Every structure is written in structure tokens, then in C-alpha cells.
Amino acid sequence: MVRRKRVGVSPRSAQNAGEQILSKNRDNLLNFLEHCYSIYNRVEYVKTDPIFFPTIQEGEREYIAFVSALFAYGKVSLINNFLQRFFDHYGIKPNTLKNYDPNVYYRFQSHDDVYKIYYFLMDVYERYGSIERCFLSFSDNLE
């Protein structure tokens, strides 16, 4: 049997090259994100983002922000219309059991799905007092 000599890059130098590429890509991504942040981190853009709701709704901000984030996909006008219907029906605090409304649905979530999310969050607030405390209850190591 004839042994063939391996030709090419050693595993160590390949790893170093890979790390250099990852580092460069990470730097490029960071620069791109910082650039986008500098352009869009302005008050005039807030209404084009579902995060708009926690800034205008009086109520449990954590709850409002969490619900807004859960449904923050799709066309902005549709998201905002849904969130308005959601908060009009289920309220701005998850403290009162409400019947589901067949008109409160969003894209892939039926009115039943939306109701279950509301009911789950109501249970989280009843048991833990906040979403944050719920997450923290799972581990002493979370910061």
C-alpha cells in the first residue's frame, strides 16, 4: 500500500483562517448594525415598530411589551391593528379573565391561540407577579 502525502492546509492553520474570517464577519455585522441603529434610533420611527404600544398604553408595561414582541412579525399596519384589537378586548393588564373574541386573531394564530396566550400570561402574573420573576424562578444563575 502506498501512502500519499497530504497536501494542503494543516488543521491548525485552517482553524486560524476560519477564526479570522469569523472575526472579520462579526466586525462587519457589528458595523452594519451600529450603522442601522444610528439611522433608525429616532423618535419618528417609533410608530413603525410594535414597540410603539408600550410607549402609548398605560398599564402593565412588561405585559404590553411582551405581547407586542410576540406578534411583531408581518406588515406593521397589520401588527398595529391586531395589537389595538388585542388590548381593546383583553386589556392592558393580565388580571381579569375574559372570554375569547373570535375577531382577535393574527396571521397564523387563531382566536383560540391568542386566547391561550392571554390566559397563559394571566396565569404567569397570578403565580409570579411578572414575566421577569417567572423566568428568574427557573434558575438562580440568571442575571
Side-chain angles (χ1 to χ4, degrees):
M1 178 184 246
V2 178
R3 291 191 168 230
R4 294 183 183 190
K5 185 177 180 183
R6 295 178 106 184
V7 179
V9 180
S10 72
R12 183 171 260 339
S13 56
Q15 182 180 3
N16 289 341
E19 288 172 0
Q20 289 174 351
I21 291 169
L22 285 175
S23 179
K24 183 178 178 184
N25 288 345
R26 192 175 312 124
D27 291 344
N28 288 342
L29 177 60
L30 179 62
N31 289 336
F32 172 74
L33 293 174
E34 287 293 335
H35 174 72
C36 290
Y37 179 80
S38 69
I39 292 172
Y40 296 107
N41 186 32
R42 300 196 189 328
V43 174
E44 60 267 21
Y45 288 110
V46 171
K47 288 186 179 181
T48 65
D49 192 314
I51 200 66
F52 172 67
F53 277 86
T55 65
I56 62 164
Q57 293 279 3
E58 294 295 322
E60 179 59 52
R61 283 224 165 152
E62 179 193 49
Y63 165 73
I64 295 167
F66 191 78
V67 169
S68 297
L70 284 176
F71 296 101
Y73 62 93
K75 189 175 177 183
V76 173
S77 62
L78 296 176
I79 298 167
N80 289 342
N81 288 338
F82 165 76
L83 290 173
Q84 191 62 59
R85 286 193 326 271
F86 180 93
F87 293 123
D88 285 349
H89 181 73
Y90 291 112
I92 52 177
K93 295 180 182 180
N95 58 359
T96 306
L97 183 59
K98 309 250 178 158
N99 291 327
Y100 74 88
D101 181 345
N103 296 316
V104 182
Y105 59 90
Y106 183 66
R107 295 191 62 173
F108 311 116
Q109 284 77 42
S110 68
H111 57 82
D112 191 50
D113 296 332
V114 172
Y115 177 75
K116 287 176 182 173
I117 290 169
Y118 170 75
Y119 190 83
F120 169 77
L121 289 172
M122 193 177 75
D123 188 49
V124 165
Y125 273 86
E126 187 176 297
R127 288 183 190 198
Y128 301 98
S130 74
I131 297 168
E132 179 184 21
R133 283 191 218 125
C134 176
F135 280 101
L136 290 174
S137 74
F138 293 109
S139 172
D140 294 332
N141 299 325
L142 295 177
E143 292 184 19

